[in-house]
Amino acid sequence: MIEVCGDAGDALRDLRDGATVLVGGFGEAGLPFGLLEGLLRCSARDLTVVSNNAGNGDSGLAAVLATGRVKKIICSYPRQVDSWVFDRLYREGRIELELVPQGNLAERIRAAGAGIGGFYTPTGVGTPLAAGKEVRNIAGRDYILELPIHGDVALIRADTADEAGNLTYRKTARNFGPIMATAAKITVAEVSRVVPAGAIDPESVVTPGIFVNRVVLASGPARSGPARSGSAHPGSREATR
Amino acid sequence: MIEVCGDAGDALRDLRDGATVLVGGFGEAGLPFGLLEGLLRCSARDLTVVSNNAGNGDSGLAAVLATGRVKKIICSYPRQVDSWVFDRLYREGRIELELVPQGNLAERIRAAGAGIGGFYTPTGVGTPLAAGKEVRNIAGRDYILELPIHGDVALIRADTADEAGNLTYRKTARNFGPIMATAAKITVAEVSRVVPAGAIDPESVVTPGIFVNRVVLASGPARSGPARSGSAHPGSREATR
Amino acid sequence: MSSPLSRADMAKIVARDIPAGSYVNLGIGQPTLVADYLPPDKHVVLHTENGMLGMGPQACGDEIDPDLTNAGKLPVTELPGASYFHHADSFAMMRGGHLDVCVMGAFQVSTAGDLANWHTGDPDAIPAVGGAMDLAVGAKTVYVMMTLFDKDGNAKVVPECTYPLTGLACVSRVYTDLAVFQLKNDQVYVTETFGTTVGELSARLQIPLVAGPSPD
Amino acid sequence: MSSPLSRADMAKIVARDIPAGSYVNLGIGQPTLVADYLPPDKHVVLHTENGMLGMGPQACGDEIDPDLTNAGKLPVTELPGASYFHHADSFAMMRGGHLDVCVMGAFQVSTAGDLANWHTGDPDAIPAVGGAMDLAVGAKTVYVMMTLFDKDGNAKVVPECTYPLTGLACVSRVYTDLAVFQLKNDQVYVTETFGTTVGELSARLQIPLVAGPSPD
């Protein structure tokens, strides 16, 4: 059973100084805007954020970075046309950057969730991003050793949650959500609706409920139409605030 | 685009002596019976079979083993109440067994499909199945190094295929199918029906078409009802032979 | 209690001790009986390693579907809120420490919590391990459920396992017909006895036992 | 042809050389133009690393959906037969060698096929790598699409890359405004020229060139 939180602040109540926060999204698709607003209002400092990008414009993740409470970001693509908040902090030496190739980033997060202690990847071999990493030849090919990235909290955006915590996503907004959900001690999903257990087809569940602790309804109208199999259900709660 | 083969023999036409064959299924759920019958009629010898079990009764995988054309099996659970074919071959020294814990077996198959050169797993540490394997302490815990298992051919049982090769599965018959499909040079799926591209909801695809080369319609009536979203489509071909 | 437990009674007390809201894997054989004593309002979700969460009771009659089985290959049913996933995801769930409890049978458990439950060591036996080693290292808590003595009267809680190991220092509780044991920091605590006493057990097992639960 | 290629013409010949039925990833920027020249009857399936196969053309007007973008974060559409998957699965698909072709831009390509396309080496630049390194090692065939000389007239096909590397010995073809190159066994083959000759190119690039396609 999941906890349906009244607001993002409640969902983030136990965020501690020094925590590692996994933030879903690729650009703005799959970015949990409501949870990031909750993060803005938290007082936790010295956070490490793991996310593909380092914020766009002045809202969402960029607004969180602007508070100065993030000491380090682990990501694959910080520099974008509208990443001025990160750019400034980075040039001022106020944020540490660990740059990871996108596939290694995804696999390191998956490894954390899957209990894998480390893995050998061909990505990055011979490049500056392999500096200091163990290189090993296996069956005639060079690989580097990469280690898992665990989170204290994962903040993700999904589409529909059922009361068992099962999640579906929408299109390419799925991106990092399913793997981040597996890699954190507490996973909070911002969703467009909550439906009764059984209203999501068990064959179509993307994130099983075991990986989800709390859900918060997204503010604003849902982008999607009603859930494919849960829409007609009388118990469903839609995001309409 | 996938190739829809007329029969299992056609789908297995290029199976060579010494090939490694990944066979889906957990017990009989997800076992591709039709493809295994095709394998029976092939002449390829010295095969290595990778499958969770080593056959039940006298049909399916057991019948293939009984031909004497399998030199080695990699599996987690060969001994069952009705595994007499394997038991006899094993006791007579006519088949080699590589026993792998079930999760390591699954992860090694996934690693092959994902281009991972090897991974550290805690499963098996301190047991006889870790004999000869590298042990490494990472962040205070011991792990053993496991290497990928690649297949030449994967034979799996799915439920619905669309013409783009996308697959869905039925209940716990899903088991090893999706990972084996990623780990072989040629993947052949035995399915209950083939529907036009677009008839499977893109959010519910379990195996994307990139991993599937050939499909064969299963003989006998499908266990499942019609496909959730493809049933009414005039182009769909059902297994009714 | 004043007499040794039946299998059903053992399953009952295991079920009693599983925390509400847990995600639980019940190993093949005896542990599957535990499911019968988990009331729905306890919201325990059952995992089966062949790719399902939300497994329901064994299937009967028309419910039987060859595509829906548990890890013991017996036909089962699906509860509302169930989900299906492939084997790598299923064992990632296990190895990643997401299951709260798993319940397994055993040949031997050592005082350090080492588990032996996949091979008798008989050189003539055909080995089979299945998911036992993955469960042993993966679940947050491993409960063992077994008779305390084998048919020949040999103790199955032992100073050191003599059978091939399944996992190291992984068992935290052992439920038997004669007593319930907690294993912690190489100490064996006896929290309940059935038709025997801690003193009698200590003599028969030839290992030091501490009466009462382990300090937290 | 008698004159250097426009960007559109480069995209056209890249599209021409992509085998029918291929699974293809088009990198962000210029390579996305290639999609416009892939006729539907060629059955090329586009992968975007943010979790989709079967990507359609860029979305316009009402089609725009913020939840459906390509790797360059531009809104795109979905074709029949599409599928969605998460990032680990998407890069497993890439790293596992399942994509037939990827097309990327580059700062430099060496005669050995080394690729530099993520960092200019400027110590003041903010680095960003995205999926470039994964694509470089993962796709079966890597095509580079770029101008042959930079704005300052420096050649971008070079004996050795001076910019930080993206991947080693990974590029097999280089499509430029002036010529198409095949890279094989440390040899550079020129299969087509546009408004120039192999001799002229060899002089400007200061690397040995072989006229005609590489032997198979």
Side-chain angles (χ1 to χ4, degrees), chain B residues 35-50:
Chain B
L35 292 170
L36 289 169
E37 278 182 33
L39 197 53
L40 262 185
R41 295 189 300 267
C42 278
S43 58
R45 313 188 61 81
D46 296 324
L47 301 175
T48 295
V49 166
V50 182

PDB file of all heavy atoms in Angstrom, chain B residues 35-50:
ATOM      1  N   LEU B  35       8.646 -24.524 -31.326  1.00  0.00           N
ATOM      2  CA  LEU B  35      10.031 -24.336 -31.755  1.00  0.00           C
ATOM      3  C   LEU B  35      10.900 -25.504 -31.298  1.00  0.00           C
ATOM      4  O   LEU B  35      11.839 -25.894 -31.999  1.00  0.00           O
ATOM      5  CB  LEU B  35      10.575 -23.009 -31.222  1.00  0.00           C
ATOM      6  CG  LEU B  35       9.920 -21.770 -31.852  1.00  0.00           C
ATOM      7  CD1 LEU B  35      10.333 -20.497 -31.114  1.00  0.00           C
ATOM      8  CD2 LEU B  35      10.276 -21.682 -33.331  1.00  0.00           C
ATOM      9  N   LEU B  36      10.603 -26.063 -30.131  1.00  0.00           N
ATOM     10  CA  LEU B  36      11.367 -27.214 -29.657  1.00  0.00           C
ATOM     11  C   LEU B  36      11.092 -28.439 -30.537  1.00  0.00           C
ATOM     12  O   LEU B  36      11.986 -29.245 -30.793  1.00  0.00           O
ATOM     13  CB  LEU B  36      11.055 -27.498 -28.190  1.00  0.00           C
ATOM     14  CG  LEU B  36      11.628 -26.435 -27.227  1.00  0.00           C
ATOM     15  CD1 LEU B  36      11.075 -26.618 -25.815  1.00  0.00           C
ATOM     16  CD2 LEU B  36      13.152 -26.478 -27.207  1.00  0.00           C
ATOM     17  N   GLU B  37       9.863 -28.538 -31.028  1.00  0.00           N
ATOM     18  CA  GLU B  37       9.585 -29.621 -31.991  1.00  0.00           C
ATOM     19  C   GLU B  37      10.385 -29.416 -33.265  1.00  0.00           C
ATOM     20  O   GLU B  37      10.904 -30.361 -33.856  1.00  0.00           O
ATOM     21  CB  GLU B  37       8.089 -29.693 -32.307  1.00  0.00           C
ATOM     22  CG  GLU B  37       7.340 -30.469 -31.249  1.00  0.00           C
ATOM     23  CD  GLU B  37       5.858 -30.599 -31.568  1.00  0.00           C
ATOM     24  OE1 GLU B  37       5.496 -30.678 -32.765  1.00  0.00           O
ATOM     25  OE2 GLU B  37       5.070 -30.609 -30.608  1.00  0.00           O
ATOM     26  N   GLY B  38      10.502 -28.151 -33.668  1.00  0.00           N
ATOM     27  CA  GLY B  38      11.338 -27.841 -34.832  1.00  0.00           C
ATOM     28  C   GLY B  38      12.789 -28.216 -34.573  1.00  0.00           C
ATOM     29  O   GLY B  38      13.474 -28.756 -35.448  1.00  0.00           O
ATOM     30  N   LEU B  39      13.248 -27.950 -33.355  1.00  0.00           N
ATOM     31  CA  LEU B  39      14.629 -28.256 -32.976  1.00  0.00           C
ATOM     32  C   LEU B  39      14.870 -29.771 -33.036  1.00  0.00           C
ATOM     33  O   LEU B  39      15.938 -30.231 -33.442  1.00  0.00           O
ATOM     34  CB  LEU B  39      14.887 -27.719 -31.567  1.00  0.00           C
ATOM     35  CG  LEU B  39      16.316 -27.557 -31.073  1.00  0.00           C
ATOM     36  CD1 LEU B  39      17.149 -26.739 -32.033  1.00  0.00           C
ATOM     37  CD2 LEU B  39      16.308 -26.881 -29.691  1.00  0.00           C
ATOM     38  N   LEU B  40      13.843 -30.528 -32.671  1.00  0.00           N
ATOM     39  CA  LEU B  40      13.904 -32.001 -32.740  1.00  0.00           C
ATOM     40  C   LEU B  40      14.217 -32.471 -34.143  1.00  0.00           C
ATOM     41  O   LEU B  40      14.941 -33.438 -34.351  1.00  0.00           O
ATOM     42  CB  LEU B  40      12.541 -32.590 -32.359  1.00  0.00           C
ATOM     43  CG  LEU B  40      12.313 -33.075 -30.954  1.00  0.00           C
ATOM     44  CD1 LEU B  40      10.935 -33.727 -30.875  1.00  0.00           C
ATOM     45  CD2 LEU B  40      13.395 -34.054 -30.538  1.00  0.00           C
ATOM     46  N   ARG B  41      13.630 -31.778 -35.121  1.00  0.00           N
ATOM     47  CA  ARG B  41      13.778 -32.210 -36.511  1.00  0.00           C
ATOM     48  C   ARG B  41      15.026 -31.649 -37.178  1.00  0.00           C
ATOM     49  O   ARG B  41      15.339 -32.014 -38.302  1.00  0.00           O
ATOM     50  CB  ARG B  41      12.522 -31.821 -37.299  1.00  0.00           C
ATOM     51  CG  ARG B  41      11.260 -32.554 -36.830  1.00  0.00           C
ATOM     52  CD  ARG B  41      10.074 -32.312 -37.762  1.00  0.00           C
ATOM     53  NE  ARG B  41       9.736 -30.909 -37.852  1.00  0.00           N
ATOM     54  CZ  ARG B  41       8.828 -30.293 -37.100  1.00  0.00           C
ATOM     55  NH1 ARG B  41       8.151 -30.973 -36.181  1.00  0.00           N
ATOM     56  NH2 ARG B  41       8.587 -29.019 -37.252  1.00  0.00           N
ATOM     57  N   CYS B  42      15.737 -30.752 -36.480  1.00  0.00           N
ATOM     58  CA  CYS B  42      16.997 -30.219 -37.022  1.00  0.00           C
ATOM     59  C   CYS B  42      18.082 -31.275 -36.900  1.00  0.00           C
ATOM     60  O   CYS B  42      17.991 -32.187 -36.103  1.00  0.00           O
ATOM     61  CB  CYS B  42      17.478 -29.042 -36.188  1.00  0.00           C
ATOM     62  SG  CYS B  42      16.703 -27.505 -36.576  1.00  0.00           S
ATOM     63  N   SER B  43      19.154 -31.072 -37.671  1.00  0.00           N
ATOM     64  CA  SER B  43      20.254 -32.021 -37.562  1.00  0.00           C
ATOM     65  C   SER B  43      21.435 -31.450 -36.779  1.00  0.00           C
ATOM     66  O   SER B  43      22.419 -32.142 -36.566  1.00  0.00           O
ATOM     67  CB  SER B  43      20.710 -32.430 -38.959  1.00  0.00           C
ATOM     68  OG  SER B  43      21.083 -31.261 -39.664  1.00  0.00           O
ATOM     69  N   ALA B  44      21.356 -30.190 -36.357  1.00  0.00           N
ATOM     70  CA  ALA B  44      22.504 -29.565 -35.675  1.00  0.00           C
ATOM     71  C   ALA B  44      22.868 -30.328 -34.405  1.00  0.00           C
ATOM     72  O   ALA B  44      21.996 -30.752 -33.649  1.00  0.00           O
ATOM     73  CB  ALA B  44      22.185 -28.108 -35.347  1.00  0.00           C
ATOM     74  N   ARG B  45      24.184 -30.505 -34.190  1.00  0.00           N
ATOM     75  CA  ARG B  45      24.701 -31.286 -33.067  1.00  0.00           C
ATOM     76  C   ARG B  45      25.546 -30.405 -32.143  1.00  0.00           C
ATOM     77  O   ARG B  45      25.822 -29.266 -32.451  1.00  0.00           O
ATOM     78  CB  ARG B  45      25.590 -32.422 -33.576  1.00  0.00           C
ATOM     79  CG  ARG B  45      25.019 -33.229 -34.733  1.00  0.00           C
ATOM     80  CD  ARG B  45      25.893 -34.443 -35.029  1.00  0.00           C
ATOM     81  NE  ARG B  45      25.945 -35.316 -33.863  1.00  0.00           N
ATOM     82  CZ  ARG B  45      24.998 -36.201 -33.546  1.00  0.00           C
ATOM     83  NH1 ARG B  45      23.946 -36.355 -34.317  1.00  0.00           N
ATOM     84  NH2 ARG B  45      25.116 -36.947 -32.469  1.00  0.00           N
ATOM     85  N   ASP B  46      26.015 -31.004 -31.055  1.00  0.00           N
ATOM     86  CA  ASP B  46      26.926 -30.328 -30.119  1.00  0.00           C
ATOM     87  C   ASP B  46      26.375 -28.987 -29.660  1.00  0.00           C
ATOM     88  O   ASP B  46      27.117 -28.013 -29.538  1.00  0.00           O
ATOM     89  CB  ASP B  46      28.304 -30.127 -30.773  1.00  0.00           C
ATOM     90  CG  ASP B  46      28.978 -31.454 -31.074  1.00  0.00           C
ATOM     91  OD1 ASP B  46      28.816 -32.393 -30.270  1.00  0.00           O
ATOM     92  OD2 ASP B  46      29.662 -31.554 -32.112  1.00  0.00           O
ATOM     93  N   LEU B  47      25.092 -28.953 -29.437  1.00  0.00           N
ATOM     94  CA  LEU B  47      24.465 -27.703 -29.020  1.00  0.00           C
ATOM     95  C   LEU B  47      24.717 -27.437 -27.541  1.00  0.00           C
ATOM     96  O   LEU B  47      24.856 -28.364 -26.735  1.00  0.00           O
ATOM     97  CB  LEU B  47      22.952 -27.774 -29.260  1.00  0.00           C
ATOM     98  CG  LEU B  47      22.518 -28.017 -30.711  1.00  0.00           C
ATOM     99  CD1 LEU B  47      21.002 -28.196 -30.780  1.00  0.00           C
ATOM    100  CD2 LEU B  47      22.967 -26.861 -31.598  1.00  0.00           C
ATOM    101  N   THR B  48      24.775 -26.152 -27.180  1.00  0.00           N
ATOM    102  CA  THR B  48      24.701 -25.745 -25.783  1.00  0.00           C
ATOM    103  C   THR B  48      23.331 -25.119 -25.589  1.00  0.00           C
ATOM    104  O   THR B  48      22.946 -24.224 -26.349  1.00  0.00           O
ATOM    105  CB  THR B  48      25.805 -24.725 -25.448  1.00  0.00           C
ATOM    106  OG1 THR B  48      27.065 -25.368 -25.582  1.00  0.00           O
ATOM    107  CG2 THR B  48      25.653 -24.191 -24.029  1.00  0.00           C
ATOM    108  N   VAL B  49      22.591 -25.610 -24.620  1.00  0.00           N
ATOM    109  CA  VAL B  49      21.264 -25.068 -24.346  1.00  0.00           C
ATOM    110  C   VAL B  49      21.324 -24.277 -23.044  1.00  0.00           C
ATOM    111  O   VAL B  49      21.897 -24.740 -22.046  1.00  0.00           O
ATOM    112  CB  VAL B  49      20.205 -26.187 -24.251  1.00  0.00           C
ATOM    113  CG1 VAL B  49      18.910 -25.678 -23.625  1.00  0.00           C
ATOM    114  CG2 VAL B  49      19.932 -26.768 -25.636  1.00  0.00           C
ATOM    115  N   VAL B  50      20.749 -23.081 -23.063  1.00  0.00           N
ATOM    116  CA  VAL B  50      20.642 -22.253 -21.869  1.00  0.00           C
ATOM    117  C   VAL B  50      19.163 -22.119 -21.549  1.00  0.00           C
ATOM    118  O   VAL B  50      18.394 -21.596 -22.360  1.00  0.00           O
ATOM    119  CB  VAL B  50      21.258 -20.850 -22.096  1.00  0.00           C
ATOM    120  CG1 VAL B  50      21.179 -20.017 -20.825  1.00  0.00           C
ATOM    121  CG2 VAL B  50      22.696 -20.972 -22.592  1.00  0.00           C
TER     122      VAL B  50
END
